[in-house]
Structures are given as C-alpha cells and as structure tokens.
Amino acid sequence: MNEYELLRVIDFIEKTRRPFRDMIDEAGDDAVWMIVTYLIKSHILSQNVSISTLGQESGLPYATSMRLINRMIDNGHIVRVVKGQTGKSFVLQPSEGLLASFKDYARKTKSLLAQTLGVRAGEGDDEYYFGGTPLGSQIIPPMRLVQKRVEAQLELRFLLNDDNYFSAMRNMWADFRSNLASRKNFDLLPLPQLYTRALENGMKEQSDYDVIAINMPWLGEFAERGFIRPIDQYIQKTGINPLDFHPSIWTAATWEGRDYGVPSYCTVEFLAARKDLFAEAGLPFPKTFDDVIAAGRKFHAPDEGAYGVVWDGARGMPVASSFLFFMGACGQPPISLPRTRTGFTVDGINLDEISCNILSDAGNAAFEYMRRLLDISPPNILDMAWDQTLSVFLKGKASLGYFWTMRAARFEYDVQSVVKRRVEYLPQAFGPAGTRATPIGGFLFCIPTNLPEERVELAADAIAWMASREAMKAHVKNGFPVAPRFSVSADPEAAASSPIVRFVDQLAKRNLLHTWQRPKIPQYTRIEKVLGEEIHDALRNKEPARQALERAAGRIEKCLK
C-alpha cells in the first residue's frame, strides 16, 4: 500500500466516524485514534510534530493528553527524535512498529470494502487499488472489456514503463470500482529493462502481453524487426482521431507511412528555474548556455548544500540523452537528416545514406557545455539521473535543473516538495547557432505482432480507452500534466490544473516541440549506447572533446552501416 492509499483510508474512516459523533452527543473523539492518525499523516507529509501540538490534537485536557502521549512513548508506539544541535528539543514520530501495524489495519479495511462491494473475490489486497483518483468511476471503459473480464475471465496483460503516469493507469484498471484488472496484469519496468523485455517478448512464438509501451525513439527498430504490428485498420474503428494529436507527437508513432502505435502521453524536457531565488537576486531567467552557467555560479554553494544546476549525467541512456538534447539546442541532430521549415525529419530518409553528425561544431559545443555544467552541479552528478536529480531540486537544493515535465509534476503535487509554486518553466537554453527547440519524449501504446489474432481487437479497444480524451483529461486533473491531445490541453479545466499544461501548450503553438534530437531510426538504441559510454568516460576522465567525439563518431558510423 502506498502513502496516497494510506491517506485515503484515513480520510475515509474519519468521514464514516463523523456522522456518528454528530448524532450522539456523548460520542467524543477517540484520543488514541486522533493521536495516531495525526502522527501518521504528519509523517507522510514530512511535517514536524511537537508534543504540545499532539496534545492539542488529542482533544484531551493538557495534563491528561501528556500522560497518554508519554505512556505511548514508553510502550514504543511513539518515538522522540532530537531536533537541533543542542539536544534539548525534539519532535515526535510514529515508531516503525506503529507504522507497520497501521498499514496492516488500512490494508484490511481496504479488503473489507472490496468484499462488501462484491469484487476481487479470492485476490489479495495488493491486487487492486484504493486511492485518491476518481478515474475508475468517471470514465466508462468499452463494454467488451467489461464483458470479457466478467464473462470469459479474460484478463489483458500490459508491459509499461515504471513511472508515475503508468502507475496511475494501472490503478485506473485495478481500482475495485472499475473491476477491470488486477495489479498482477501489469509489468512496470525501468527503461533499460523495459527495452530488453519488449525485445525478448517480440522473439517469442506468442506474446506474453496484449499491449506494450515503447519509448518513442525505439519505434523504427521495433517496426523494422517486426515486433509490433501496424494498427491503421483499428484507428478509425476504435474512434481514435489522429487530428486531435499534435503532429509532432502523432508522427512519432508512424514508420514508413503506417501507424504502429498511439501516443500514451508526451513529456517535454525543459529547464526549471527557482523563480523565488532569481527574483531575490534580481536576475533574468537564462536563455543561453552562457546564461545558465552564469546563473548557476551565482547560486552554487556546495558547502551549504546548494547547487547551481542538476541534470541527467549518469552513464548510459541518461547522459546520452543529455548530450543529444544539448546538441539539438545547438541546432543539429546526431545524424544527417533532411531539414524542414521548423527543424529536421526522418520521413523519406534512405537508411543506407545517413551519416554521423556529432563530430561538428554543434557536437563540440554540447560536450563543452556539459563539461562546464560539472563545475556547478552536485559532485556525484555523473552518477545521477531522473528521480535522483529530481529529488535534489524537489528539496530546494538546486536553483536550475533539466527535467522531463512528467516527472516535474511532482514539483506541484508531491507531498514532500518544498518548491511548490516556486518554479518557472522555461524552454531549453540554446547554444551557438541553436534555437529553443524543445525535445519531446513519451511512450507509444503498441500491439505485439505475435499476439493471437482473437485478442488483437480487444487490445485495440484497451488502447483506445487508455488514450481517450476522457482518460487523459482525468489524468491531467489528477496531477499528470501533459497529454498529447489538443482537446485536452485546450480544455479550461485541464489547463487550470497545472502550469505545465499551459507551458507545453504555448510551446506547441510556437512550433517548438520536436523529436529529431532522438531520431526514431532502427539504429537509435545502438547510437545511444555508444554516446552513453563515450561521453560519460570523457567527462569522468576529463578527456579533450575532440578525442571523445572522434572515438564516438567512429563507433556510430559502424552502427549506421
């Protein structure tokens, strides 16, 4: 059970107790319940609790509440934690034993609710979800999905990325109100493992999954190897409208003129700035590489636990993506692509004629920028990526940071965020000869080629539901700010839910959203592997840029040929 479910169970129980207290005058508050739940909620929200505050929350007279609290401390239910350097003050927290016992109580409550409603017979309480999202009750899934689940006991299987968006999607299916699936029907894996599992699944005689989510740049490889099937014939049949998707996003799901998937969500890599710090220092927000470095130096104070910037520097996919995005900010893709009015395209390219572009002014500028970033980053930045860098910024320890918008949703919604309403969302800073072209990422819902034919139409129904306007709007309203549909980003209620929705919508209107920084060619993952090794080694060992780029370019040329 996660923390959000735990808070919802507490809220539910408190609401059921309230009518009884209102009806019976003699029914006072249960002091132990008030103390325990206040401690649990404060612990989840990272809020300090003093003994006097806890005494007030108990509803008891002061002397009585102090005796009760001290008795609970003596019994090991509450622990004192020293606060400050003097050792004279302390805060109170629930003990590990109390936390474990309360979670067990919450799980049993959740299970009883499901049994009362007549669902989830024979399943463990971890196989369904009791959370704050109303998705399961707000949007109606296709009737065929419900009928197959109930009548034929047919359950769809999903392979998805391990992130907060797909976790919420799993919860939408596993919510006991929708009765559509269980958590066991979903495999959520980190990106490297997701790639490996999806490839292994494609090589099997029969797919283990009805629907898989693949990273946008992987499309060319999976399509060329025949691991995913074209779904053109199901697009119109299931009611999916390609015109409702931003063109840059919908084309991420096409290969050689055919539709191979449906965008599940899009996420944009952007530059986050602490607007309160910039306002106090009287600094403008950065627009160029040099601006970022100058501002980062202003705020960089590692001895005080404050850093100028955080970015994805870990070996492999993280540092490779950073290099590609910085090179894009210098106006060039990593391989020779035809230029368009607004950028570059992979449409119509001859895979036998493409060549590597990183041994160039743009590649050199991107590498040197990364080298300069090291001076204003946490000392272990070359071991950090994604949730690790996000955590630094979330705790208020960095003034600038490069993040994906899907992860950055936590700035405004995470219960432990100290940067709520303090973040300015900016397009990526540009380098020499570059623009503020903003990289798009995200995932595509695809149907494996080796899925039995009798399950394909049901899988298409599931994709249509998960990528529907209603489902995406519900996700946006519940804290996941970026959907690839025009109708969702233009919805006033959705736009009002997060500053990120408005930010991305403005980028789309300015034609600043692009995918060419990570071209979806079949060789992409091999290019990424080379860069993830060579760029990382060069930064770690302080090698000259030319030497590192020559070595990487040589390996990439072999991949392309």
Side-chain angles (χ1 to χ4, degrees):
M1 173 176 284
N2 62 36
E3 293 177 338
Y4 296 97
E5 283 190 281
L6 196 57
L7 289 172
R8 285 292 291 174
V9 170
I10 294 172
D11 181 62
F12 172 78
I13 295 172
E14 287 180 338
K15 286 178 178 176
T16 60
R17 293 164 65 96
R18 194 172 300 132
F20 180 72
R21 292 199 303 267
D22 293 342
M23 181 180 66
I24 307 297
D25 295 337
E26 291 78 10
D29 290 324
D30 182 338
V32 173
W33 168 263
M34 301 296 287
I35 287 172
V36 169
T37 54
Y38 187 79
L39 270 178
I40 297 288
K41 288 189 289 186
S42 298
H43 175 75
I44 292 173
L45 298 171
S46 298
Q47 296 172 346
N48 291 333
V49 179
S50 66
I51 190 168
S52 59
T53 299
L54 195 57
Q56 293 172 357
E57 289 295 325
S58 72
L60 297 173
Y62 179 78
T64 308
S65 68
M66 292 300 105
R67 286 195 296 271
L68 175 58
I69 292 170
N70 281 303
R71 189 162 67 246
M72 294 180 73
I73 292 173
D74 293 339
N75 291 336
H77 298 309
I78 301 175
V79 294
R80 288 190 179 98
V81 179
V82 175
K83 180 184 177 185
Q85 298 179 347
T86 63
K88 296 181 180 179
S89 61
F90 61 89
V91 295
L92 301 180
Q93 292 182 357
S95 67
E96 290 298 323
L98 180 61
L99 276 172
S101 297
F102 195 90
K103 287 180 180 178
D104 186 51
Y105 164 67
R107 276 194 293 267
K108 290 177 180 177
T109 302
K110 184 175 80 165
S111 183
L112 285 171
L113 281 168
Q115 291 174 29
T116 302
L117 293 174
V119 296
R120 297 292 182 264
E123 291 185 350
D125 54 76
D126 285 336
E127 294 303 329
Y128 56 90
Y129 180 70
F130 183 84
T133 172
L135 288 172
S137 59
Q138 278 194 350
I139 53 177
I140 302 173
M143 187 54 63
R144 268 187 300 191
L145 293 176
V146 179
Q147 289 174 336
K148 291 290 185 180
R149 162 77 170 167
V150 176
E151 296 172 4
Q153 296 295 300
L154 189 153
E155 298 187 357
L156 298 181
R157 292 270 296 153
F158 300 87
L159 176 63
L160 307 174
N161 185 50
D162 185 12
D163 64 25
N164 51 357
Y165 188 89
F166 286 126
S167 294
M169 185 163 288
R170 176 189 60 190
N171 294 340
M172 178 178 74
W173 285 76
D175 190 311
F176 66 75
R177 294 164 294 181
S178 69
N179 197 26
L180 275 174
S182 302
R183 288 176 185 256
K184 65 185 179 184
N185 300 128
F186 294 80
D187 285 347
L188 271 61
L189 301 178
L191 266 173
Q193 291 94 311
L194 174 66
Y195 173 74
T196 302
R197 179 74 62 85
L199 287 182
E200 292 171 349
N201 185 69
M203 297 175 188
K204 292 187 173 184
E205 183 177 347
Q206 182 170 309
S207 175
D208 290 336
Y209 304 98
D210 296 88
V211 177
I212 64 173
I214 65 170
N215 200 11
M216 285 181 177
W218 302 345
L219 182 73
E221 178 179 1
F222 278 78
E224 285 289 311
R225 297 181 70 172
F227 291 163
I228 53 177
R229 63 175 67 209
I231 58 171
D232 312 64
Q233 60 180 308
Y234 298 104
I235 296 297
Q236 188 172 1
K237 186 183 294 186
T238 55
I240 297 172
N241 179 14
L243 297 178
D244 193 25
F245 291 77
H246 188 282
S248 295
I249 297 166
W250 184 261
T251 55
T254 64
W255 181 252
E256 294 189 342
R258 302 202 65 183
D259 297 318
Y260 278 87
V262 176
S264 58
Y265 73 74
C266 73
T267 182
V268 171
E269 231 231 12
F270 73 104
L271 180 63
R274 281 285 302 278
K275 58 185 177 184
D276 54 331
L277 298 181
F278 275 81
E280 290 171 10
L283 289 177
F285 294 122
K287 293 182 179 180
T288 68
F289 284 179
D290 288 343
D291 292 343
V292 172
I293 299 299
R297 286 175 178 159
K298 174 77 175 178
F299 298 113
H300 191 61
D303 293 341
E304 300 172 16
Y307 306 103
V309 66
V310 286
W311 49 285
D312 296 327
R315 188 177 183 83
M317 187 184 296
V319 77
S321 295
S322 292
F323 174 79
L324 291 171
F325 297 153
F326 296 147
M327 187 172 169
C330 296
Q332 216 172 9
I335 60 171
S336 54
L337 295 177
R339 184 180 289 274
T340 67
R341 184 176 57 83
T342 58
F344 300 86
T345 182
V346 299
D347 294 339
I349 63 169
N350 185 335
L351 293 176
D352 295 328
E353 296 179 358
I354 55 177
S355 59
C356 179
N357 267 352
I358 69 167
L359 199 57
S360 61
D361 290 343
N364 187 75
F367 184 87
E368 290 300 335
Y369 179 52
M370 297 172 82
R371 196 194 298 280
R372 295 164 72 196
L373 287 175
L374 291 176
D375 296 333
I376 54 172
S377 302
N380 59 335
I381 193 66
L382 293 179
D383 298 317
M384 298 172 65
W386 301 330
D387 287 337
Q388 296 161 307
T389 53
L390 188 87
S391 178
V392 174
F393 196 87
L394 205 67
K395 294 174 182 177
K397 296 181 179 180
S399 59
L400 291 162
Y402 283 94
F403 302 104
W404 290 105
T405 49
M406 187 53 65
R407 294 179 182 275
R410 292 177 57 191
F411 294 164
E412 310 299 337
Y413 292 100
D414 195 292
V415 293
Q416 298 182 5
S417 173
V418 301
V419 297
K420 289 184 178 73
R421 297 178 294 279
R422 297 179 180 179
V423 181
E424 187 72 19
Y425 301 88
L426 304 169
Q428 288 223 351
F430 58 86
T435 67
R436 307 196 82 172
T438 303
I440 302 173
F443 292 84
L444 310 170
F445 286 129
C446 301
I447 301 177
T449 304
N450 53 351
L451 181 70
E453 289 298 325
E454 64 271 16
R455 298 178 70 100
V456 172
E457 196 160 342
L458 202 62
D461 282 340
I463 289 175
W465 184 49
M466 293 188 292
S468 67
R469 176 185 183 277
E470 293 76 17
M472 287 186 180
K473 181 181 175 183
H475 280 300
V476 168
K477 287 168 58 181
N478 282 279
F480 302 100
V482 181
R485 285 179 175 264
F486 284 124
S487 59
V488 176
S489 58
D491 186 286
E493 190 175 11
S497 66
S498 168
I500 300 179
V501 175
R502 299 188 295 274
F503 167 67
V504 175
D505 191 43
Q506 290 167 2
L507 293 178
K509 291 175 179 176
R510 293 162 58 190
N511 290 319
L512 291 180
L513 300 181
H514 299 278
T515 58
W516 52 260
Q517 296 92 337
R518 298 186 302 165
K520 56 183 178 182
I521 60 174
Q523 302 95 326
Y524 173 76
T525 54
R526 283 177 281 165
I527 293 172
E528 184 181 73
K529 182 177 186 297
V530 170
L531 293 173
E533 294 170 354
E534 298 293 353
I535 298 299
H536 192 268
D537 287 345
L539 290 172
R540 176 86 72 187
N541 301 326
K542 300 181 180 179
E543 291 183 16
R546 185 77 185 180
Q547 179 179 326
L549 294 177
E550 283 180 349
R551 190 168 57 242
R555 291 179 60 186
I556 290 173
E557 286 291 355
K558 291 180 181 179
C559 295
L560 295 176
K561 304 305 180 189

